[in-house]
Amino acid sequence: MNINQGLTNFITTDIYGLTAEEFSLGRNNIEVVDEMIAAGIKVIQYREKEKKALYMYRECLEIRELTRQAGVTFIVNDHIDLAIAVNADGVHIGQEDLPPEKVRQLVGPSMILGLSTHLPEQAQSAVKSGVVDYIGVGPIFATNTKKDVCDPVGLSYLDYVVKHIELPFVAIGGIKLHNVAEVRKHGAKISALVTEIVGAENISEKVKDIRKAMYE
């Protein structure tokens, strides 16, 4: 999949899935990704903070194959070397990772580059860099999924991005079935849900419920 195909998936999707094995009811990431793909999720990010590099590499190789066969965009969080090693479609970095310009040099022009943002200045900086393909906007609400997460930015920052930033973006952080419609009403076409999806007993049914809520 080239960057144009990968970004097309991103721009035209509504749900951005992420792995979080500790919340996955005993299922491993391969099983969860397989279920997310079956549920029609077109963008999936591999996000694991505590695993050994070799284990993550082997896991990502399997996920890369699953996503390639399904035409799903596969993004690796933080680990630039891992994204390159498994030929992922993209890499997603945070504000305390390497600068986007340096990451772009490392991954080349054909890999999608996403950047988490929490403030208007960070969003503007992403635009000015000229190398970021999309931004994460959040955390919208409080979340316990990430241990190093900043305080919630609320819907006001989302409103700012909708009005002032032309880059594609995904809203993230504490988004659940009960509030995803509110996030969409504020202009977020794409929402990232973590525990709400991976922690569901039936992922396909949960995704159907989320989409129903989004479009009501």
Side-chain angles (χ1 to χ4, degrees):
M1 186 184 297
N2 62 39
I3 189 168
N4 292 327
Q5 291 171 317
L7 275 174
T8 296
N9 270 353
F10 184 93
I11 294 167
T12 59
T13 197
D14 50 6
I15 296 175
Y16 183 119
L18 295 91
T19 65
E21 198 166 79
E22 64 178 307
F23 301 104
S24 297
L25 305 182
R27 295 168 296 200
N28 63 42
N29 284 326
I30 309 303
E31 294 171 301
V32 169
V33 167
D34 200 28
E35 290 188 40
M36 285 198 282
I37 290 171
I41 293 177
K42 291 296 184 182
V43 180
I44 297 174
Q45 182 189 123
Y46 179 84
R47 187 171 75 180
E48 294 294 339
K49 301 288 188 181
E50 310 297 335
K51 294 184 176 183
K52 300 292 186 182
L54 182 59
Y55 186 93
M56 290 194 294
Y57 171 69
R58 289 170 174 166
E59 201 165 48
C60 281
L61 280 178
E62 289 191 61
I63 295 172
R64 169 71 288 185
E65 189 57 31
L66 286 173
T67 52
R68 181 184 288 115
Q69 290 175 3
V72 168
T73 299
F74 177 42
I75 294 171
V76 173
N77 180 264
D78 285 349
H79 300 281
I80 301 160
D81 54 347
L82 183 59
I84 295 169
V86 302
N87 196 27
D89 298 305
V91 62
H92 187 98
I93 60 172
Q95 290 293 319
E96 296 183 349
D97 294 319
L98 290 176
E101 295 85 354
K102 180 54 65 175
V103 176
R104 176 57 74 197
Q105 289 177 17
L106 293 169
V107 302
S110 62
M111 189 174 285
I112 297 167
L113 176 55
L115 174 68
S116 294
T117 67
H118 321 296
L119 299 166
E121 307 86 79
Q122 294 172 350
Q124 291 288 359
S125 178
V127 173
K128 290 175 184 176
S129 75
V131 299
V132 173
D133 295 302
Y134 77 91
I135 59 172
V137 174
I140 305 296
F141 308 110
T143 175
N144 295 317
T145 305
K146 288 183 71 178
K147 296 177 176 63
D148 57 349
V149 70
C150 67
D151 291 334
V153 298
L155 293 165
S156 59
Y157 176 48
L158 174 59
D159 292 339
Y160 173 87
V161 171
V162 170
K163 291 178 182 177
H164 300 287
I165 302 298
E166 293 186 359
L167 282 174
F169 71 89
V170 53
I172 188 169
I175 301 175
K176 309 284 185 183
L177 177 61
H178 69 84
N179 59 26
V180 68
E182 183 180 13
V183 174
R184 190 169 180 86
K185 285 174 184 174
H186 277 259
K189 295 178 181 177
I190 311 164
S191 289
L193 297 93
V194 188
T195 56
E196 192 76 345
I197 292 176
V198 304
E201 290 189 12
N202 187 318
I203 289 175
S204 288
E205 287 303 313
K206 178 64 75 170
V207 170
K208 287 179 185 176
D209 290 342
I210 292 166
R211 287 200 166 114
K212 182 179 178 182
M214 291 173 105
Y215 298 106
E216 281 183 342

